[in-house]
Amino acid sequence: MVTCTIMKKIFVAITVICCTIALFSCGGNNNSDYIISSVKDIRYTALNLETVYIPMDIETCSYVGHSGVDGNHLYFFDEFFCFLYEISPSGSVLGRHLGLGNGPDEVPFRHHSGITVVNSELLIMGNTYDAYLFKNFKNRERIQLRVSRTNNSLEDSRAYSSFSEVLRKKGDRYFFNIYSEAAYCNPWEHSKENFTNAHILMEVDLKSGNLKPIGKYSEYYIDNHGKINHLFQINYDIDNNNNFHVSYQADSLIYISDEKFNPIKAFGFKGLNMNTNYGSALPNLEDFNRVWADDFPNKGHYTWLEYIDETNMTFRSYQKGSHTPFDGLQIYHDGVLIADVEVPKQFKVAGYIPPYYISQIICDEEAETMKFYKFKLD
């Protein structure tokens, strides 16, 4: 394994911008201020990535699924066969659990809405207001989700649909990213109202099953609602102090809030060589879908956020656009940008297994290969 390349002559460019912006807090309280402190101290101009291929001794694999880091190993959950694989940082398969079926140690359905593994516990979201928890990957426990019923209100959990990209678990709660499809508030017909009032995350109490919409869009989305209404997805992480780290698809800033979404700080810079010449999504669903279908695969936007508590590092992945074969990765240390580098397409940091930072597993269905990347930061 080789480490990241440091410039022989380190040119330190430090830009400090301190100002405040108004942003609605999650509970509908008065506007609160984020203090923006954007600082550059570029220490790395490239990463020396080691590619690790997972040997094809996996018995049954569809090469479609979800991956991440839990403790000292990676995991891969096969979406079709519902097998959970544990994989070492060297790429060897350490074990296989679960599988599709009706037994107490099996997953009873395919096509889940999201999964995560934390401390050897697998949490799977179902599709009918349910979730399943497997402690030590055994003894399935079903959790019935209880919707909030506040008709024609954005405090009503029924006003939202979920994305499957980001599922995070903290203690007896878990979270997933959402968007409103309500007739009275959605991104395509009511973009300003949507970005002003709609929530961005759903909080689930694992003990009671109660659902609660939380969080809000940034002021940037309110100010530019007619230009970026089709780029409404968010990425987020939660640190060990239960603070939320939120990155929006088209906003260059990263926002940190406490567990009640009271603002703490914001920081960030636009990614390098991003094509942000977005189309105009007119206020109807047909034009919205047309512009999204062109901009999502071909234009630049932010695609992933991972915060590493052990090293106080924030990794934000972004798509530059179809004009380049590379994606981008920003690395912030305590909010200071220390690297903005080119990385392979689909590259997303999944976690930290000392001394390596580990990417998510990238699958190639046609070639039937699975690989991930690892690297060090001096």
Side-chain angles (χ1 to χ4, degrees):
M1 174 65 190
V2 288
T3 60
C4 300
T5 302
I6 304 179
M7 294 182 296
K8 292 182 180 179
K9 295 181 179 180
I10 299 179
F11 175 75
V12 180
I14 300 179
T15 305
V16 181
I17 305 171
C18 293
C19 61
T20 60
I21 61 174
L23 184 69
F24 285 101
S25 64
C26 71
N29 300 322
N30 295 330
N31 288 0
S32 301
D33 291 336
Y34 280 92
I35 304 300
I36 302 175
S37 178
S38 296
V39 181
K40 284 184 181 180
D41 181 5
I42 300 300
R43 304 174 190 174
Y44 308 94
T45 57
L47 299 180
N48 284 338
L49 301 175
E50 180 178 342
T51 305
V52 182
Y53 283 92
I54 300 171
M56 289 301 98
D57 56 0
I58 291 180
E59 297 176 12
T60 307
C61 186
S62 69
Y63 300 94
V64 177
H66 297 267
S67 64
V69 169
D70 181 41
N72 61 358
H73 62 268
L74 295 85
Y75 64 84
F76 177 77
F77 182 81
D78 189 293
E79 187 170 312
F80 185 81
F81 295 106
C82 297
F83 288 126
L84 177 72
Y85 294 95
E86 294 180 289
I87 300 165
S88 76
S90 64
S92 59
V93 177
L94 302 174
R96 191 186 77 175
H97 310 277
L98 306 174
L100 183 66
N102 293 315
D105 301 336
E106 295 177 314
V107 180
F109 59 92
R110 292 192 178 104
H111 310 303
H112 52 279
S113 298
I115 76 108
T116 189
V117 177
V118 180
N119 298 326
S120 297
E121 291 186 355
L122 171 66
L123 176 69
I124 304 179
M125 283 181 57
N127 296 297
T128 55
Y129 285 109
D130 57 356
Y132 295 83
L133 185 65
F134 296 83
K135 296 183 179 180
N136 294 316
F137 312 132
K138 297 180 179 180
N139 300 320
R140 183 180 70 218
E141 176 186 350
R142 184 177 184 272
I143 301 157
Q144 180 64 52
L145 306 187
R146 303 181 184 280
V147 299
S148 52
R149 297 183 180 275
T150 309
N151 292 332
N152 298 320
S153 168
L154 290 170
E155 305 310 309
D156 188 341
S157 59
R158 297 172 298 172
Y160 298 93
S161 296
S162 67
F163 292 120
S164 61
E165 286 86 349
V166 190
L167 178 62
R168 305 282 190 182
K169 180 177 178 292
K170 280 290 181 181
D172 291 329
R173 298 179 299 165
Y174 76 89
F175 306 83
F176 57 92
N177 43 345
I178 57 175
Y179 68 101
S180 173
E181 287 187 312
Y184 52 87
C185 189
N186 56 61
W188 44 90
E189 291 180 316
H190 308 282
S191 59
K192 186 172 183 178
E193 294 84 353
N194 180 78
F195 294 136
T196 301
N197 300 315
H199 295 290
I200 59 174
L201 294 175
M202 191 70 73
E203 176 184 306
V204 184
D205 187 315
L206 282 168
K207 293 182 177 180
S208 66
N210 290 335
L211 297 170
K212 179 183 179 182
I214 61 173
K216 287 289 184 70
Y217 283 93
S218 68
E219 190 78 9
Y220 181 83
Y221 271 77
I222 299 172
D223 293 341
N224 296 278
H225 65 90
K227 301 176 183 178
I228 57 172
N229 58 327
H230 59 301
L231 299 171
F232 56 88
Q233 297 186 30
I234 71 140
N235 287 286
Y236 72 101
D237 202 352
I238 308 171
D239 64 30
N240 288 339
N241 293 318
N242 294 320
N243 297 321
F244 289 92
H245 300 238
V246 178
S247 173
Y248 302 87
Q249 196 170 11
D251 187 345
S252 64
L253 292 178
I254 297 169
Y255 299 84
I256 302 179
S257 309
D258 68 16
E259 61 181 324
K260 295 183 178 180
F261 266 88
N262 296 310
I264 296 176
K265 66 177 180 179
F267 57 88
F269 293 88
K270 180 181 178 180
L272 299 177
N273 194 24
M274 291 180 70
N275 178 3
T276 55
N277 185 25
Y278 304 130
S280 177
L282 299 175
N284 62 74
L285 187 56
E286 182 180 354
D287 284 322
F288 180 94
N289 287 334
R290 174 183 54 79
V291 173
W292 180 90
D294 182 58
D295 282 0
F296 184 78
N298 297 314
K299 302 292 177 65
H301 53 86
Y302 302 99
T303 58
W304 186 253
L305 186 77
E306 191 77 25
Y307 175 74
I308 308 296
D309 283 274
E310 296 93 324
T311 59
N312 197 14
M313 293 284 192
T314 302
F315 295 87
R316 180 167 63 168
S317 299
Y318 64 93
Q319 178 175 294
K320 293 175 179 286
S322 57
H323 61 286
T324 171
F326 298 101
D327 279 348
L329 175 69
Q330 292 182 330
I331 305 174
Y332 295 87
H333 180 236
D334 195 22
V336 177
L337 180 66
I338 63 172
D340 194 333
V341 298
E342 289 185 336
V343 291
K345 292 284 187 179
Q346 303 180 53
F347 184 97
K348 298 174 181 177
V349 171
Y352 181 59
I353 304 176
Y356 300 108
Y357 294 94
I358 309 288
S359 81
Q360 292 182 5
I361 294 170
I362 299 174
C363 298
D364 187 328
E365 292 180 73
E366 293 185 2
E368 295 189 345
T369 61
M370 299 171 63
K371 66 181 179 182
F372 60 90
Y373 299 95
K374 62 182 182 180
F375 61 95
K376 294 178 182 178
L377 293 177
D378 291 334

